Structures are given as C-alpha cells and as structure tokens.
Amino acid sequence: MLKLKRSSGNRFYKRLFLLSVEGSETEVEYFKRFNSRYVHVECLHERNKTSPKQVLVRLKSALAKRQMRDGDQAWVVIDRDDWKPEDIESVCSWVRSDGDNAMVKKGLAISNPKFEFWLLLHFSDGSGNETARACVEALKDHLPNYDKHLSPTDITNEGVAQAVQRARKLWGELSVQDWARDCGKTSVFNLVEQILAAEQEEQEKEMRALESAGEKA
C-alpha cells in the first residue's frame, strides 16, 4: 500500500487554522465542521475574556508557543457588539503587520452586529439593518431550537456556499483587512473561503503525488 509521509518536504500534513474566538460555544461548534484529513481548525477561547484585545492576546500567546508552518493561518474571530472602535482597530493593525510569525497568514473575521448574522446568511439574505436581537430571532425562524449551540445537521455545505456569496455581496468594496462600521456585514466569508481553498490545495497535492507514485511503480 502506498503511504505518504507527512513531512515538511512533501507538505502532506493538515493545514492548520488557529482561531481565537470571542464565543466559547457557537463559533467552536460551527468551525468544527470544517475539520478534515486536509485541514485542522482549532478554536482558542476563554470565558470572560472576550474583548477584542483579550482575544488578540490569546492568539498572539498561542503563536509564540506553536511551531507554525508556511501555509498555516491565524485568525481573530470577533463580533462588533459595543466594543470601542479603537479596540477593533488594534486587531486590524496586527493583521496588517509583518511581525508574529511572518510566514503565517493572519486575518480578522468580524460580524456586525454578531456571529448569528453570519449564521443567518446560511438561510436568507440580510436586510442590512439587523440588530443583535433581530439576528437571533430571524435565525430561530430557520433553527427553532437555537440556543447558542449548533448540531451537525444545522449547517449544510449548500448553506455555507450561500452564506459566502451573500456575505461577500454585502461586504462590498471594503477591504477584507478592514472591519464594517455598519450593521449587516460580516467578513467570516473570507475565513471560510481560505479554509475551503486550503483543503482543495492539499487534496490536489495528494492526488498529484499519488499519480506520480503510480507512474513510477
């Protein structure tokens, strides 16, 4: 049986997405669905430490201790909520900087007003003026038992594709390294696109290696 070594030379290992998330339930359960043989998504979270600065510190601390590889990514996942603009700007500045593991791609996935808006886009278009409460109430029209927890069947691949398309349209001309000051926008689509692209790239590498090994056999 042909075996592929998971070495840095062959680059056959799970691509790591290290996420520092504001919530300890919904976000963790949502991103778990993207784990596969090609990608590993790990969520860092801590109750009562949910401000943008605290979420960023948690990620930077983890990066200082991890052996990240070229192609791995590190993301801050937060809500707009009522945080001070300067606190969110500090996260944006870190994302744009070259420090802290320069080989690792960094990103900010922010939802305005909250992560539930991103979930809502899996089922319907956003109106552009959703409040935090309105997001949850609208989401319950599609997930009646929603209470911050997601079951494996709540989110489908088709729903993810629709959410990406809807969120990208709502994001408009904003840079993905920026953040939305207005309600009804989320850049989580950018993170999800990066995860899906990484999975496809690693899958294609494996297929090419298998084909090459087969030709040499």
Side-chain angles (χ1 to χ4, degrees), residues 26-45:
T26 312
E27 291 93 327
V28 176
E29 292 171 357
Y30 178 82
F31 286 109
K32 185 187 300 183
R33 77 178 310 280
F34 294 101
N35 283 316
S36 69
R37 64 176 294 177
Y38 304 105
V39 171
H40 177 65
V41 182
E42 180 178 346
C43 291
L44 309 171
H45 57 90

Side-chain angles (χ1 to χ4, degrees), residues 44-108:
L44 309 171
H45 57 90
E46 191 172 351
R47 291 185 182 277
N48 302 320
K49 290 188 177 181
T50 61
S51 73
K53 288 184 177 180
Q54 290 170 324
V55 176
L56 176 58
V57 166
R58 184 159 58 243
L59 182 57
K60 293 172 71 174
S61 176
L63 284 173
K65 302 172 184 176
R66 296 294 185 95
Q67 184 178 359
M68 306 288 283
R69 300 188 184 188
D70 187 21
D72 294 337
Q73 299 192 25
W75 287 72
V76 172
V77 182
I78 57 176
D79 298 340
R80 172 63 181 94
D81 289 329
D82 295 320
W83 302 120
K84 294 179 180 179
E86 53 265 35
D87 290 342
I88 299 175
E89 288 290 351
S90 67
V91 179
C92 290
S93 296
W94 177 79
V95 169
R96 300 185 190 110
S97 69
D98 295 327
D100 296 309
N101 289 278
M103 72 172 61
V104 177
K105 183 173 182 177
K106 301 178 292 184
L108 167 63

Side-chain angles (χ1 to χ4, degrees), residues 182-217:
D182 301 322
C183 281
K185 295 181 185 292
T186 172
S187 58
V188 176
F189 75 89
N190 186 33
L191 169 55
V192 170
E193 285 184 323
Q194 293 292 323
I195 294 173
L196 296 177
E199 181 175 34
Q200 183 175 351
E201 289 172 9
E202 293 304 317
Q203 186 176 20
E204 290 174 352
K205 285 181 182 180
E206 184 179 64
M207 291 301 296
R208 288 196 297 269
L210 287 169
E211 291 172 357
S212 177
E215 292 173 356
K216 296 177 181 178

Side-chain angles (χ1 to χ4, degrees), residues 118 121-122 124-125 158-172 186 188-190 192-193:
W118 165 251
L121 294 181
H122 289 66
S124 64
D125 297 328
E158 181 182 3
V160 171
Q162 291 175 340
V164 168
Q165 184 178 18
R166 288 164 175 155
R168 176 176 285 281
K169 182 178 179 180
L170 290 167
W171 195 255
T186 172
V188 176
F189 75 89
N190 186 33
V192 170
E193 285 184 323

